[in-house]
Amino acid sequence: MEPIEIFKALSNESRLQILHWLKEPEQHFTPHEGIDMRNIGVCVSQFTEKLNMTQSTASQYLSILQRAGLIKTKRIGKYTYYTRDEDQIREIGAFFNNQI
């Protein structure tokens, strides 16, 4: 975990919004093809629609969050689903609690 990567990932309002939505995805999205969003995740196309941006931009934002260790992915068929990495988020919180 690199603190600078985490700060970069969190420095964008849309990326913060993605993390917020992923905390309780069932309150913000309709399940994609019957997928259990809590356990499997949210599809990039759902973020694209909700954020009103291109799929490449949404994918780039998700990639930044993944590299920072804030989200994880699961591939099912041709779709990639995203969930928060709650263990990493707790570790990051503890790190910042001890360092800042």
Side-chain angles (χ1 to χ4, degrees):
M1 163 183 50
E2 291 294 323
I4 194 72
E5 291 303 316
I6 295 164
F7 282 123
K8 284 181 188 178
L10 297 176
S11 69
N12 177 282
E13 187 175 343
S14 294
R15 291 190 295 262
L16 285 170
Q17 188 66 60
I18 289 169
L19 285 174
H20 172 74
W21 290 333
L22 284 175
K23 188 169 186 177
E24 297 178 302
E26 62 280 346
Q27 292 185 10
H28 303 285
F29 299 97
T30 302
H32 179 257
E33 297 188 0
I35 293 292
D36 175 1
M37 292 181 295
R38 177 70 65 174
N39 294 311
I40 302 297
V42 177
C43 182
V44 67
S45 63
Q46 294 170 282
F47 292 112
T48 300
E49 183 179 317
K50 197 152 178 85
L51 291 166
N52 195 29
M53 61 178 50
T54 65
Q55 184 166 343
S56 64
T57 301
S59 293
Q60 181 182 19
Y61 284 0
L62 290 161
S63 178
I64 290 167
L65 291 168
Q66 184 182 11
R67 281 194 309 270
L70 298 167
I71 62 173
K72 49 190 175 178
T73 64
K74 179 174 256 179
R75 185 100 173 145
I76 300 176
K78 64 181 181 174
Y79 298 105
T80 302
Y81 296 90
Y82 299 86
T83 56
R84 286 168 43 118
D85 189 332
E86 296 297 342
D87 293 335
Q88 279 292 94
I89 289 172
R90 276 191 292 282
E91 283 185 37
I92 292 165
F95 171 81
F96 286 126
N97 227 7
N98 293 323
Q99 298 296 319
I100 297 178

